[in-house]
Amino acid sequence: MTDRQPPREIVLEACARYGEDAVIDFAIAVLTGAVSPEEAFTTEVDKLKWLVGPTVGGWSKLDPVNFYWARVWAARLFLYVWRDDAVDALLIAAEDPAWRVREHVARITAQRELGQLVDALLPGLSHELPRVRSATARAVGAAGEAEHAEALQELLDDPDNTVRAAAEKALDRLETRLDRSLR
């Protein structure tokens, strides 16, 4: 592994080397708090490299305020590999205090069409950051139900153009998926 590999390659290489179940188990442990972010950066740093690559070992004086990155990387893993029991960990991560973790949960929800996560993500539609609102809108469009359309419609007047565009596309996708008009 090199420090210049894309995250997908790092994760897939770790799965090939250590076993997909071991890598997923570690990511779930980080997301659920069974392995704290501090432990991930100290006693579990070799496993943390499975999620981010060898550069993580070079952070000898990491500020504890940045420990949340372990949860971000653990969530990101599920963009590349999957196991159904990850949904429970992602439900916990949907309420993570770090917005980057919640954004990744929204991305995974959209990619994998995980309807069981949509309600937990809805607060992200009013997040202060446009990228979180956009990611959440995409998740709702990909995995939501008719009752979620009104929340997306409210974003059509969002002050940020990228959020408005994401909401429009999400409504289109929702209508296509459900085969009905929702406006």
Side-chain angles (χ1 to χ4, degrees):
M1 289 189 273
T2 67
D3 59 6
R4 300 212 188 276
Q5 285 181 291
R8 176 182 170 81
E9 290 180 23
I10 292 168
V11 167
L12 294 179
E13 188 172 313
C15 288
R17 185 170 185 184
Y18 302 104
E20 190 171 288
D21 283 336
V23 176
I24 288 174
D25 287 345
F26 179 68
I28 287 173
V30 171
L31 287 176
T32 61
V35 171
S36 73
E38 183 176 3
E39 290 170 323
F41 277 101
T42 55
T43 60
E44 299 289 339
V45 73
D46 286 337
K47 288 184 179 177
L48 188 59
K49 291 176 184 180
W50 298 354
L51 309 180
V52 71
T55 58
V56 75
W59 298 353
S60 59
K61 292 188 179 187
L62 181 69
D63 187 333
V65 76
N66 291 316
F67 283 162
Y68 75 94
W69 279 102
R71 297 188 313 275
V72 174
W73 297 324
R76 181 179 64 190
L77 172 116
F78 295 108
L79 291 170
Y80 312 118
V81 295
W82 184 251
R83 200 172 66 198
D84 288 342
D85 65 331
V87 169
D88 294 334
L90 292 171
L91 275 168
I92 293 168
E95 297 181 6
D96 196 278
W99 65 265
R100 289 181 192 273
V101 175
R102 296 189 311 272
E103 178 189 25
H104 273 80
V105 173
R107 292 178 60 204
I108 296 157
T109 299
Q111 178 192 51
R112 299 194 180 277
E113 298 180 0
L114 301 170
Q116 60 270 54
L117 294 175
V118 172
D119 287 336
L121 291 172
L122 289 177
L125 293 174
S126 59
H127 193 274
E128 64 187 84
L129 294 175
R131 65 189 277 174
V132 175
R133 294 194 306 274
S134 295
T136 305
R138 286 188 289 276
V140 173
E145 296 296 333
E147 65 263 20
H148 301 119
E150 185 176 334
L152 289 173
Q153 289 169 348
E154 291 176 16
L155 291 181
L156 295 176
D157 293 326
D158 193 274
D160 188 275
N161 185 46
T162 60
V163 175
R164 290 192 306 273
E168 184 69 40
K169 288 179 183 176
L171 278 166
D172 290 345
R173 185 169 183 188
L174 193 61
E175 288 179 332
T176 299
R177 279 186 38 255
L178 300 177
D179 194 26
R180 62 189 265 202
S181 177
L182 298 170
R183 298 175 214 219

